């Protein structure tokens, strides 16, 4: 296992188009997180999953954003009708679940979205 | 609810002098605390973590942090700064017990090293 994998690494899209990002977590990790990071800021929490269940969705996320984690493995983050303000780095992370006493998150390299 | 406050947005030190990056946290339960580093155009890398064992935690590259429950702090230190330490540092909190816990980042501290 080579860690958390995100695809694509870079995405340029025109305003109004839909985009979808994929995250493959570390295989034994049942928690998966999505964050958004803009230049000069810390990662902002977007949403997270425990296995296939989406436990929380940030108020930062408008209805244009949706995330899924079918079968509790990989996850997708879709942004509909993209806006220029959506331009950011989208980070995925995974961790072991509760009961392990260890919530350390491992991060992917991120997907950089540019909306033109 | 959890939160974390990094008290300095930017710290500048001379090479060879000590580094102190400050972090205060708030957690309803028993926190796990982490420091991550992000070099320009690189991914987030874990420096060190506290998960209820020793309160003084040693990490990679000579960094260490001390968990002080009475002060709700988890400051990051290094005795002697190196040019390669220049990066963005994030203090992170999570709850070890709550089923609703998520991982929350501070706003970051940019560390600059003067020659």
């Amino acid at each position: 296992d080579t860690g958390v994998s995100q695809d694509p690494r870079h995405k340029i899209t025109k305003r109004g188009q839909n985009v979808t990002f994929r995250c493959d977590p570390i295989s034994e990790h049942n928690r998966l997180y999505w964050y958004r990071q803009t230049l000069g800021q810390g990662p902002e929490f977007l949403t997270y999953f425990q296995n296939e269940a989406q436990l929380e969705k940030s108020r930062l996320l408008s209805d244009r954003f949706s995330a899924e984690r079918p079968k509790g493995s990989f996850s997708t983050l879709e942004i509909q009708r993209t806006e220029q303000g959506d331009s950011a780095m989208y980070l995925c992370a995974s961790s072991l679940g509760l009961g392990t006493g260890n919530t350390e998150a491992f991060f992917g390299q991120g997907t950089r979205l540019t909306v033109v | 609810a959890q939160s974390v406050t990094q008290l300095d947005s930017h710290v500048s030190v001379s090479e060879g002098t000590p580094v102190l990056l400050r972090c205060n946290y708030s957690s309803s339960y028993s926190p796990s605390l982490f420091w991550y580093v992000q070099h320009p155009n690189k991914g987030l890398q874990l420096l060190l973590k506290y998960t209820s064992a020793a309160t003084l935690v040693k990490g990679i590259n000579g960094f260490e942090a001390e968990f002080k429950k009475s002060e709700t702090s988890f400051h990051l230190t290094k005795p002697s700064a190196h040019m390669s330490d220049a990066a963005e540092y994030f203090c992170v909190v999570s709850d070890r017990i709550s089923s609703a816990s998520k991982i929350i980042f501070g706003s970051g501290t940019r560390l600059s090293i003067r020659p």
Side-chain angles (χ1 to χ4, degrees), chain A residues 31 33 35 37 40-43 45 48 55-56 91 95 98-99 101-109 112, chain B residues 32 34 36 38 41-44 46 49 51 88 90 94-107:
Chain A
R31 284 221 166 170
Y33 302 82
Y35 293 84
Q37 187 177 23
Q41 301 296 316
F45 169 79
Y48 78 120
L55 296 186
E56 187 174 337
L91 296 168
S95 70
L98 288 178
N102 187 348
T103 55
E104 173 189 346
F106 294 80
F107 283 83
Q109 292 292 310
R112 182 170 295 283
Chain B
S32 290
F34 311 87
Y36 283 81
Q38 189 175 39
N41 299 315
K42 300 285 187 181
L44 285 157
L46 181 70
K49 61 183 179 182
T51 55
E88 191 84 18
F90 296 100
S94 177
D95 176 8
R96 285 182 289 113
I97 297 174
S98 168
S99 62
S101 175
K102 57 184 182 285
I103 295 172
I104 300 297
F105 279 74
S107 56

Side-chain angles (χ1 to χ4, degrees), chain B residues 39-112:
Chain B
H39 288 91
N41 299 315
K42 300 285 187 181
L44 285 157
Q45 181 183 17
L46 181 70
L47 271 182
L48 50 79
K49 61 183 179 182
Y50 165 77
T51 55
S52 85
T55 56
L56 182 61
V57 181
K58 294 186 183 299
I60 61 172
N61 301 333
F63 284 94
E64 60 183 39
E66 186 172 7
F67 172 69
K68 292 187 177 180
K69 186 175 181 179
S70 61
E71 298 176 9
T72 60
S73 69
F74 191 59
H75 301 332
L76 182 71
T77 60
K78 182 174 180 177
S80 176
H82 190 273
M83 294 299 293
S84 62
D85 295 328
E88 191 84 18
Y89 291 79
F90 296 100
C91 183
V92 177
V93 66
S94 177
D95 176 8
R96 285 182 289 113
I97 297 174
S98 168
S99 62
S101 175
K102 57 184 182 285
I103 295 172
I104 300 297
F105 279 74
S107 56
T109 298
R110 182 163 61 90
L111 177 62
S112 300

Side-chain angles (χ1 to χ4, degrees), chain A residues 10-15 19 21 82-84 86-88 90 111-116:
Chain A
H10 304 273
K11 178 70 177 180
I12 300 174
T13 190
K14 291 183 178 180
R15 188 174 53 187
V19 294
F21 310 142
T82 53
E83 301 173 355
Q84 287 188 323
D86 297 331
S87 296
Y90 289 84
T111 295
R112 182 170 295 283
L113 173 66
T114 302
V115 181
V116 298

Side-chain angles (χ1 to χ4, degrees), chain A residues 44-57:
Chain A
E44 296 175 301
F45 169 79
L46 295 179
T47 188
Y48 78 120
F49 294 84
Q50 175 79 22
N51 298 313
E52 66 275 11
Q54 188 172 17
L55 296 186
E56 187 174 337
K57 186 175 175 179

